[in-house]
């Protein structure tokens, strides 16, 4: 398995998710809109060759990326417009950001780079 080029699909899916969420929830004057796009921007900027340089880093980061990208269709198609929809949207966004943050904290505190 060539895990060194995996960051290209991660970047592509992050951009696709960013565009889809931006189209669905277009409200440029609110801070919540920027908060909604933050997980996909983080995935895009974290997806580079240096961050996927070995198998352990690949596994840690790809799990967070897949979890975040899988929740994007739930945001787009699974939220019904009702009074409690904002609670569900913010919960999903916090779960996405928590997955990305947890993977980066695992890398920061528990991963020893022997290169």
């Amino acid at each position: 398995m060539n895990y060194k080029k995996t960051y290209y699909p991660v970047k592509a899916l992050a951009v696709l998710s960013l565009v889809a969420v931006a189209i669905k929830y277009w409200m440029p004057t609110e801070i919540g809109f920027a908060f909604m796009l933050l997980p996909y921007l983080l995935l895009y900027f974290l997806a580079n060759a240096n961050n996927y340089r070995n198998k352990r880093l690949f596994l840690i980061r790809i799990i967070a990326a897949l979890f975040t990208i899988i929740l994007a269709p739930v945001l787009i198609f699974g939220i019904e417009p009702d009074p409690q929809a904002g609670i569900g949207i913010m919960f999903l966004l916090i779960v996405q950001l928590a997955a990305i943050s947890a993977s980066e904290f695992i890398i920061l505190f528990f991963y020893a780079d022997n290169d």
Side-chain angles (χ1 to χ4, degrees):
M1 178 172 95
N2 188 4
Y3 56 86
K4 296 186 186 270
K5 300 292 183 191
T6 309
Y7 60 92
Y8 290 128
V10 171
K11 273 189 169 189
L13 287 172
V15 168
L16 183 66
S17 299
L18 178 107
V19 169
V21 169
I23 289 172
K24 171 80 176 187
Y25 296 103
W26 179 253
M27 50 183 158
T29 59
E30 298 201 18
I31 192 75
F33 181 68
F35 187 65
M36 290 182 76
L37 299 180
L38 186 61
Y40 313 111
L41 290 172
L42 283 174
L43 280 182
Y44 181 79
F45 289 119
L46 285 174
N48 61 41
N50 193 30
N51 287 339
Y52 288 86
R53 66 182 169 267
N54 62 30
K55 201 171 212 171
R56 279 191 236 155
L57 289 176
F58 164 76
L59 288 174
I60 293 169
R61 285 198 170 104
I62 202 70
I63 289 170
L66 287 175
F67 190 73
T68 302
I69 291 170
I70 287 172
L71 287 178
V74 176
L75 274 172
I76 296 167
F77 302 114
I79 305 291
E80 297 294 327
D82 63 0
Q84 279 75 29
I87 296 170
I89 291 170
M90 285 299 133
F91 178 71
L92 286 174
L93 290 173
I94 289 171
V95 168
Q96 288 176 330
L97 289 172
I100 295 169
S101 299
S103 70
E104 295 303 315
F105 281 132
I106 288 170
I107 291 168
L108 177 66
F109 292 120
F110 300 111
Y111 179 74
D113 192 11
N114 296 328
D115 292 340

